Amino acid sequence: MKLAIIYYSHGGHTKKMAECIAQGMSVSPVEVRLFSLDEELDVAYLNDCAGIIFGTPTYLATAHWRVLEWLTTNHSVKLAGKLGGCFATAHYAQGGSDSAIMSLAGILLTKGMLVYSGGSALGKPFIHHGPVALDAVGNHFEEAQEMFTIFGERFVEKALELF
Ligand SMILES: Cc1cc2nc3c(=O)[nH]c(=O)nc-3n(C[C@H](O)[C@H](O)[C@H](O)COP(=O)(O)O)c2cc1C
């Protein structure tokens, strides 16, 4: 099974969290590849994917325009029917990361994806809309990394169950 993470990262925080998720997803029989929106995407690979996770920095309490732009203008990667997930990085707990995630999740629903966060029912770590890492609040950025890896594990479990 093929899975992917598509993200935009200007300062490296969102990239680091994409790597933590990929670590959790790297289990047999899954192949996972990461795609930065600064690089050319492998459209053939992405079309073969059963699931794609989208990652964004929070800008002005919403998703970064580069992620929104790709989702708005993409016509080559078929998203309908795939499992989807979202994550964000942000400066502050009150900085709107949940709005950023939900702005992406709404688009994924519109595109016909099956959107999955794991949900708080899976227990600790309680992930509601998607994992968030804060880069300006104490040690949160470092401490959140395990949560992102667990999110990756949960996403794979659901993808294997569904597909
Ligand atoms: C123009 C701009 C706007 C931002 N707006 C927000 C915001 O509304 N809320 C917030 O918590 N952080 C905000 N941030 C901080 C980024 O979301 C945060 O530093 C993020 O981790 C950056 O990700 P990156 O290193 O992958 O680029 C903003 C940063 C910039 C440069």
Side-chain angles (χ1 to χ4, degrees), residues 56-59 61-63 86-90 92-106 117 126-134:
T56 184
T58 302
Y59 270 32
T62 192
C86 310
F87 69 97
T89 65
Y92 311 114
Q94 71 278 21
S97 53
D98 249 22
S99 305
I101 286 177
M102 291 308 288
S103 69
L104 296 183
S117 73
F126 298 107
I127 300 172
H128 292 207
H129 297 157
V132 171
L134 306 174

Side-chain angles (χ1 to χ4, degrees), residues 2 4 6 41-54 70-71 73-84 107-108 110-114 163:
K2 291 177 178 153
I6 296 177
L41 303 188
D42 183 338
V43 171
Y45 178 87
L46 288 166
N47 273 318
D48 278 351
C49 282
I52 303 177
I53 294 175
F54 293 87
W70 187 82
L71 284 166
T73 58
N74 161 60
H75 297 296
S76 47
V77 177
K78 182 178 172 287
L79 298 176
K82 296 187 197 306
L83 193 63
I107 295 172
L108 304 194
T110 306
K111 294 284 181 180
M113 296 188 87
L114 312 171
F163 305 108

